[in-house]
Amino acid sequence: MYNKLENYIADLLGQFPNDSLIYREKVIYDPKTKTKKGVGEAGTIDLLVLEPSTNGFKANILDWKFMGDRLQDIAPYKQHSFDIQIGTYNRILKE
């Protein structure tokens, strides 16, 4: 099992340029956007890969529960939740 996981990660990271910045379990926080509890929105990105680009960096946000062949098995309501989650991460990273 370990070898299978190691190969999966190696193949996944091999898709990105060598000078990419890689962060695992990256906690992000937006103090400007308040939740119902009055605190800023926050989340943890499972794997964030920042690829160098002409405009700085391109962010690749990867979420383990939505990786690989499992995409075919996602119920529509979960896909909507995923879209909201990734959209929030994307907005926070841009700010």
Side-chain angles (χ1 to χ4, degrees):
M1 183 58 140
Y2 177 81
N3 288 339
K4 186 175 182 179
L5 181 59
E6 184 177 31
N7 290 337
Y8 174 79
I9 295 296
D11 290 344
L12 177 68
L13 296 179
Q15 299 173 24
F16 301 103
N18 288 337
D19 54 351
S20 296
L21 302 174
I22 300 169
Y23 300 92
R24 60 179 172 73
E25 299 297 320
K26 180 69 175 167
V27 176
I28 58 173
Y29 177 70
D30 179 10
K32 295 178 274 180
T33 304
K34 301 295 182 193
T35 65
K36 290 180 183 178
K37 294 182 179 180
V39 297
E41 285 185 304
T44 303
I45 299 173
D46 293 338
L47 184 65
L48 174 63
V49 180
L50 299 177
E51 284 183 67
S53 72
T54 55
N55 298 328
F57 288 94
K58 173 187 171 192
N60 297 277
I61 302 169
L62 299 127
D63 189 291
W64 297 133
K65 66 183 164 285
F66 294 102
M67 295 293 297
D69 296 334
R70 297 176 70 183
L71 282 174
Q72 297 171 2
D73 300 330
I74 298 173
Y77 71 91
K78 286 187 179 182
Q79 181 64 49
H80 180 69
S81 296
F82 171 75
D83 292 343
I84 291 170
Q85 176 185 358
I86 298 301
T88 300
Y89 292 167
N90 190 24
R91 180 185 47 76
I92 292 172
L93 289 172
K94 285 181 177 180
E95 294 176 354

